[in-house]
Amino acid sequence: MSRLLAGRRAAPVVVGLFLLLALAAIGLLKGSGPVAGMDAVPDSFESSRAAALVAEADADGRDQLLVVLSRADGGELTAEDAADVETLRAALAEETGAEALGPMPSEDGKAELLVASIPSDASTDAADAQVEELRTLAGSTVPESLRVGITGGPAVAADVRGAFAGADLTLLAVTIAVVAVLLLLTYRSPVLWILPLTVVGLAERVTMGLLDVLGERASLAFDAGVVSVLVFGAGTNYAPLLISRYREELHRHEDHREALAAAWRGTVPAILASNATVVIALLSLLLAVAGRRVFWPLVPRPSDEAPDAAPHGLFARAARGVVRRPLISVLVSLLVLGVLATGLIGTRVGLAQDEQFATATEAQAGFDTLAAHYGAGQGSPHTVVVPTAELDAVTTAAEGIPGVASVSPAGTTPEDGTVLSVVGTASPGSAAALIEVRELRAAVHGVAPDALGGGPSAEALDVREASFRDLAVVAPAILLVVLVVLALLVRALVAPVLLMLVNLLSAVASIGLGLGVGLALLGVEALDVTVPLLAFLFLVVLGVDYTMFLVHRARHEAGGHGTAEGMVRAVGATGVVITSAGVVLAAVFAALGVLPLVVLGQLGLIVGSGCCWTPCS
């Protein structure tokens, strides 16, 4: 098969066919994308059911924006300031076409609160544009002596989406730069790096088009930035594995097509075992078309080096040291892994609302001002949907919850229900706020079993608990799949278990290492609820990639040189390319750290640190 595809006539034809198919797919796979307004929480969760009823109770179909004003010098507002606030209220009402509520002065007299609104059925682009227009209007209406911040659900969502602006370009630029530099340093060819990036770029566009259609058809939301990272990371991760083996075979074969066929046979089992795609096949065909000239100016020739020469270099010396003192090496490795893993002890999982952004946003600044003068829970109250017949009993029960500041009706549902707004004292999404939700739900369920507790903190609690359940189910499933694939590749029983345990320990240690790095760089002591599962998934899968490539080469070398020498030769031959692939992945994931969202920064730092660490472990 490899000889047929790499043939002089077949390779250009197949490359052209794949290019045409890829370009056609990019053009045809154009959907309207995921349905706007989808939530991360399934419809069956209590917070989702409460949100659906609250939406029904919102007769005017508008989302609220909180506009909080305070003096720049921190003093009490004056009569002149009050007049400026009223001017802003009128301007907001005129701009939005709906009444702006307020002003509502704070108890300390140092802040005023206005409530504006925008249509809840607006598209995300329209909503973001409206938020930006209102912020511009507010800034131009009030004098510099007043600070004005616009926060609330639509404003926070606009800031989150704004954090992704230019993310794809940033990730692409970092990936191209890193891959180009690494391939230039490794092979000293100004041409070679173009081939894998061209293939991966096409694959990324096809993937995004496919997910665009799937998102539209199945009402699924996909994170474009993370998908791009995965496609570019995986694609540029596999490419050096094949290219490195191809370069080795060029020293053994005069015909570059025979060298490519040998490289394909030597690497495809490991690559396929780690879930390679048609990208690899297309890459190999591009190499077949380009031939050995792709390594210009240092073109490998059969006479350049002995085919079976003993490996040399840093990785080969390290491997020989491990073979000479295996027990000490194992104990030192376990000690290092254990020390790194201790970073997870006592780690808080779940970010409060004021920990979501690594850099200050206007929505966060507005929320901070609101919390300082009105209380942390004022901006994101809990909601309770209760049958109207049990309203009084539920209200009394809710008022008795520690941390609850006030309980007031906020609307009625078509099914004879009442929505209660329950203002707490804890920062939304914080550990204290989650405790408030648990106690609030327990209290109201004891009075009215059909009551539903919702709101941002309730949603955060549901997501947190669901994430823990997912981790408990998915992590063992991942390890089982890894064990089966390793057993099929190695054709043994004991070795796959040991290899799986090494990857497991390495992944846990990498999360601990990344957590420490993230604490130093981001200053956040907690992990976002989605990070443990995603980081574990990426680290285990990517770590297994390197393991499979190394073990497959070790089995090949052991056939002629014995197990110990075969492993030394395998490490010596693959150490550089595995480390280079790890650095590429680390740089691609680390690019997420330039975005202001803490969750992406944490994921990028943890997986990036792991990609550098895992090849060494």
Side-chain angles (χ1 to χ4, degrees):
M1 184 65 175
S2 58
R3 288 181 178 273
L4 176 62
L5 293 178
R8 184 180 301 275
R9 296 182 179 180
V13 174
V14 178
V15 168
L17 179 60
F18 269 108
L19 288 175
L20 288 175
L21 291 175
L23 294 174
I26 293 172
L28 292 175
L29 293 175
K30 293 292 184 181
S32 59
V35 178
M38 289 184 299
D39 296 322
V41 183
D43 293 340
S44 60
F45 281 29
E46 184 171 348
S47 59
S48 296
R49 290 183 285 142
L53 293 176
V54 170
E56 292 180 2
D58 184 13
D60 58 3
R62 299 182 71 86
D63 291 331
Q64 290 185 342
L65 288 166
L66 304 177
V67 185
V68 60
L69 299 101
S70 61
R71 287 191 61 83
D73 59 11
E76 293 187 8
L77 296 174
T78 65
E80 183 179 351
D81 294 331
D84 292 328
V85 172
E86 179 59 32
T87 300
L88 176 59
R89 187 200 65 76
L92 291 172
E94 181 179 356
E95 178 68 23
T96 61
E99 181 183 6
L101 304 178
M104 292 169 270
S106 63
E107 291 185 2
D108 59 11
K110 295 182 178 181
E112 289 277 11
L113 178 64
L114 301 174
V115 181
S117 63
I118 61 175
S120 57
D121 59 353
S123 66
T124 55
D125 290 340
D128 294 350
Q130 283 188 294
V131 170
E132 185 60 32
E133 289 171 1
L134 293 179
R135 285 173 170 171
T136 302
L137 173 65
S140 62
T141 302
V142 301
E144 293 183 358
S145 59
L146 287 178
R147 292 182 302 185
V148 56
I150 297 182
T151 187
V156 173
D159 288 346
V160 170
R161 286 188 287 267
F164 287 96
D168 291 344
L169 181 60
T170 300
L171 296 173
L172 178 61
V174 170
T175 300
I176 290 176
V178 171
V179 173
V181 169
L182 284 175
L183 291 180
L184 282 170
L185 292 176
T186 304
Y187 302 118
R188 294 179 289 280
S189 168
V191 179
L192 181 62
W193 64 275
I194 299 175
L195 297 183
L197 285 180
T198 299
V199 174
V200 176
L202 286 172
E204 192 268 347
R205 286 295 87 198
V206 173
T207 301
M208 293 306 301
L210 179 61
L211 295 183
D212 193 34
V213 173
L214 289 176
E216 179 183 2
R217 300 289 188 270
S219 295
L220 295 174
F222 297 97
D223 191 315
V226 174
V227 172
S228 293
V229 167
L230 292 177
V231 175
F232 274 103
T236 53
N237 180 47
Y238 288 120
L241 305 183
L242 176 59
I243 293 172
S244 176
R245 188 61 179 268
Y246 177 43
R247 189 176 187 276
E248 285 185 47
E249 297 299 334
L250 286 174
H251 289 292
R252 299 182 173 91
H253 301 275
E254 184 65 39
D255 189 336
H256 70 85
R257 290 179 172 81
E258 292 182 3
L260 179 59
W264 172 269
R265 291 191 299 271
T267 59
V268 72
I271 293 177
L272 288 178
S274 55
N275 198 26
T277 64
V278 71
V279 171
I280 305 304
L282 181 53
L283 174 61
S284 68
L285 295 175
L286 287 174
L287 292 175
V289 173
R292 68 175 72 239
R293 293 187 301 264
V294 74
F295 291 96
W296 178 87
L298 302 179
V299 180
R301 299 293 179 185
S303 59
D304 286 351
E305 59 184 42
D308 295 318
H312 54 274
L314 174 63
F315 291 97
R317 290 195 298 272
R320 287 196 173 89
V322 170
V323 169
R324 285 195 298 268
R325 299 178 179 85
L327 181 59
I328 294 178
S329 300
V330 170
L331 293 177
V332 171
S333 298
L334 290 176
L335 177 62
V336 173
L337 290 172
V339 170
L340 292 176
T342 58
L344 293 173
I345 298 176
T347 298
R348 174 166 58 90
V349 178
L351 299 177
Q353 181 171 307
D354 57 359
E355 295 174 326
Q356 299 290 332
F357 290 91
T359 57
T361 64
E362 184 163 346
Q364 186 58 54
F367 174 79
D368 291 341
T369 303
L370 188 70
H373 299 288
Y374 294 88
Q378 186 69 45
S380 299
H382 312 300
T383 58
V384 176
V385 184
V386 57
T388 303
E390 299 167 315
L391 176 60
D392 293 339
V394 170
T395 300
T396 301
E399 289 174 339
I401 301 300
V404 170
S406 65
V407 181
S408 59
T412 58
T413 68
E415 292 80 16
D416 194 26
T418 299
V419 178
L420 289 176
S421 176
V422 182
V423 178
T425 56
S427 178
S430 65
L434 301 188
I435 293 175
E436 285 182 359
V437 172
R438 290 192 183 96
E439 294 183 347
L440 179 62
R441 283 177 170 176
V444 300
H445 289 163
V447 177
D450 294 333
L452 298 174
S457 294
E459 181 177 329
L461 175 62
D462 288 345
V463 170
R464 183 176 185 272
E465 292 179 346
S467 297
F468 285 153
R469 288 195 297 270
D470 290 344
L471 182 61
V473 173
V474 175
I478 293 172
L479 295 177
L480 178 60
V481 171
V482 168
L483 182 62
V484 172
V485 173
L486 284 173
L488 293 175
L489 179 67
V490 179
R491 300 174 189 174
L493 295 178
V494 177
V497 175
L498 294 177
L499 293 172
M500 184 199 68
L501 290 176
V502 169
N503 277 280
L504 173 61
L505 292 174
S506 180
V508 174
S510 297
I511 296 176
L513 173 63
L515 180 62
V517 175
L519 176 60
L521 296 181
L522 300 176
V524 179
E525 297 181 356
L527 281 175
D528 184 84
V529 293
T530 61
V531 168
L533 177 58
L534 292 177
F536 182 83
L537 171 63
F538 294 154
L539 288 170
V540 169
V541 172
L542 295 174
V544 168
D545 283 347
Y546 305 133
T547 300
M548 290 176 178
F549 188 67
L550 173 62
V551 170
H552 184 264
R553 183 61 179 265
R555 289 186 72 252
H556 171 77
E557 297 290 348
H561 303 281
T563 302
E565 180 62 21
M567 181 58 73
V568 170
R569 286 174 170 265
V571 172
T574 63
V576 172
V577 65
I578 289 177
T579 302
S580 298
V583 172
V584 170
L585 278 173
V588 173
F589 274 96
L592 291 173
V594 305
L595 302 177
L597 288 178
V598 169
V599 57
L600 293 182
Q602 289 181 334
L603 185 61
L605 287 171
I606 289 175
V607 179
S609 300
C611 288
C612 285
W613 158 260
T614 300
C616 299
S617 63

